Amino acid sequence: MDTTQLLKGVLDAAVLAVLDRAPTYGYDLVKRLREAGLEEVGDASVYGTLRRLYRAGLLTSELVPSTEGPTRKYYGLNRAGKEHLEAARKAWSEFSTVMTRLLEGEESE
Amino acid sequence: MTTTRETSVQNYLAKVRSLLADLDYQEREEVLADLEAHLAELDPADPSQILGSPEEFVDELRATAGFYSGSRIDRRLRRVGAEIRNRWLAARPVWVGIRGWLAMAGLAILGSDPVFDPFPIPRLGNNPLWGVMAVVLATWLSYRLAQLADDGDRGWRAMERIVGALVAVLVLSAAPYGLYTEHWAVYTASRAAVHEREYLLGLLPENLEASDPQGRPLDGVVLYDQDGRPFDLVWLRRQLGVVVSPEEVSMDEYEPQPRVYPLDP
């Protein structure tokens, strides 16, 4: 199944969840998302999502010099970002419960 | 020496930059800085093999970033608008620096008498010192206004636009007087007249005393010029715009009798 369309709806939450563990830069973020199982996530999608979340005031950014290459811009969650992630967790939990029930043919209580 | 790999990356970045030309300058540079750092980590022989073509990359980026992605014509128009905006932003520090001086020069031109020096230091009240102080104050206010507007407050941004429009109107109103011939001719002629007057005043004696051969002062002597007109220093000095003191006038109150030169026997 093509999960690209599914991914579009949850990429914000996925990016926020990775950044909640520790601030990181774009390249590392893409790598972590793919290692977590979202192999189809596009580089441009991750950077586009980062820019949108940053413009929405949910992220912090900080330039950190690197010994291995160019200066890296680390993105992290601010308070609004953490609140947004918490709301996304709750929404996903409810949504996934409903979808699981539907897909497994269970009747709602 | 630039390698093929570096050239390939630079070409990719240049193409992405041109495809994002309709974005706000700062936003575009943020995106490109992210992409450049990303490509430095990937170190690809050809970025297109990993990221897709620049067009594909930008389409995907626009879709997820929420950037405008309308029709090609719309994007081209927005690109032109963004280019104008970006050029304006690049020139803004210069505008902020000179608009205070421009405002004061405009005021000096419109409010001054014809004998003025609007450049480089405007004279306010025909006084260059006031002009210097006014320019310093106006320049400081201009920078302060720019700082407040840059902090993102909508009210101050609106205020800066209003001030900018007023300065532009002032400069446009004053420009014809400051630059065009009529006022400039009056200014130049006034300057010439001032120099001529100063020259004549230098020639003119301030006082004349008549005395007999023994050097004793003679009272009641009246002097005439070659046309038979009374030689009136007070009148002459008044004609040259000199303010004559009451004491000098009282010394000249008598009415000389007109005679014709050479004197009739």
Side-chain angles (χ1 to χ4, degrees):
Chain A
M1 182 189 167
D2 181 10
T3 55
T4 311
Q5 294 302 318
L6 284 176
L7 195 54
K8 279 182 183 174
V10 296
L11 190 53
D12 284 17
V15 167
L16 290 172
V18 173
L19 294 180
D20 190 39
R21 290 171 197 164
T24 190
Y25 52 100
Y27 174 79
D28 188 53
L29 179 60
V30 174
K31 209 167 70 171
R32 286 183 190 216
L33 287 168
R34 285 179 181 154
E35 285 170 359
L38 302 176
E39 289 95 354
E40 290 181 38
V41 70
D43 302 57
S45 294
V46 174
Y47 281 102
T49 302
L50 278 173
R51 291 311 307 163
R52 184 165 43 75
L53 294 175
Y54 182 77
R55 284 206 314 277
L58 304 178
L59 304 182
T60 60
S61 81
E62 185 185 7
L63 289 172
V64 178
S66 164
T67 53
E68 298 166 27
T71 300
R72 290 165 172 164
K73 190 193 292 175
Y74 276 70
Y75 289 95
L77 291 195
N78 58 19
R79 193 170 152 189
K82 286 182 185 292
E83 288 172 2
H84 197 85
L85 175 61
E86 198 48 49
R89 277 197 185 110
K90 194 175 170 194
W92 175 255
S93 175
E94 290 170 3
F95 181 75
S96 62
T97 303
V98 171
M99 284 306 296
T100 303
R101 202 180 296 140
L102 276 173
L103 292 171
E104 294 179 357
E106 295 174 12
E107 293 293 327
S108 61
E109 293 170 10
Chain B
M1 185 178 149
T2 309
T3 63
T4 311
R5 189 180 289 257
E6 286 168 349
T7 306
S8 172
V9 167
Q10 289 308 316
N11 288 344
Y12 194 90
L13 288 169
K15 185 65 182 171
V16 170
R17 183 189 298 274
S18 101
L19 291 167
L20 293 175
D22 59 304
L23 295 188
D24 174 74
Y25 174 81
Q26 196 174 350
E27 184 66 49
R28 187 179 62 187
E29 292 308 309
E30 294 271 358
V31 169
L32 283 162
D34 279 349
L35 177 58
E36 192 172 2
H38 192 66
L39 288 171
E41 300 277 359
L42 288 170
D43 195 23
D46 178 7
S48 298
Q49 289 179 345
I50 299 175
L51 302 179
S53 69
E55 288 80 2
E56 289 168 338
F57 181 86
V58 167
D59 283 349
E60 190 180 328
L61 184 87
R62 281 182 186 278
T64 47
F67 296 148
Y68 183 79
S69 53
S71 72
R72 185 176 287 185
I73 293 173
D74 279 355
R75 272 154 66 170
R76 185 156 292 179
L77 287 173
R78 289 171 71 92
R79 189 182 304 180
V80 171
E83 192 60 32
I84 294 169
R85 192 167 61 245
N86 291 336
R87 281 175 190 273
W88 162 246
L89 285 174
R92 187 167 174 267
V94 178
W95 166 242
V96 169
I98 65 167
R99 68 183 166 190
W101 173 78
L102 279 174
M104 290 304 108
L107 284 174
I109 290 171
L110 292 177
S112 167
D113 65 33
V115 183
F116 67 95
D117 280 315
F119 307 106
I121 300 297
R123 290 186 182 208
L124 290 186
N126 258 345
N127 186 337
L129 186 62
W130 280 111
V132 171
M133 290 169 65
V135 167
V136 170
L137 179 64
T139 304
W140 181 80
L141 285 173
S142 174
Y143 273 107
R144 189 75 191 109
L145 182 59
Q147 279 179 334
L148 291 166
D150 287 346
D151 285 346
D153 185 279
R154 292 177 75 181
W156 284 113
R157 284 209 300 270
M159 176 66 83
E160 191 184 30
R161 287 195 195 102
I162 292 168
V163 168
L166 286 175
V167 171
V169 168
L170 186 61
V171 169
L172 288 173
S173 307
Y177 293 100
L179 299 175
Y180 294 166
T181 52
E182 187 180 353
H183 200 71
W184 199 249
V186 171
Y187 166 66
T188 311
S190 303
R191 276 283 167 193
V194 166
H195 290 143
E196 189 181 351
R197 191 188 75 149
E198 286 167 357
Y199 173 73
L200 289 172
L201 278 172
L203 292 180
L204 199 65
E206 290 186 4
N207 198 5
L208 288 174
E209 297 281 348
S211 58
D212 65 13
Q214 284 72 43
R216 291 182 296 243
L218 295 174
D219 291 332
V221 173
V222 182
L223 299 173
Y224 295 87
D225 68 11
Q226 68 278 6
D227 297 319
R229 290 178 302 216
F231 194 73
D232 186 344
L233 276 178
V234 171
W235 180 84
L236 273 173
R237 295 178 72 204
R238 276 178 171 160
Q239 291 302 304
L240 291 171
V242 176
V243 178
V244 182
S245 68
E247 291 77 19
E248 289 177 280
V249 175
S250 65
M251 289 168 62
D252 201 54
E253 271 180 343
Y254 61 87
E255 288 291 328
Q257 297 300 311
R259 304 282 292 275
V260 176
Y261 182 86
L263 297 176
D264 296 329

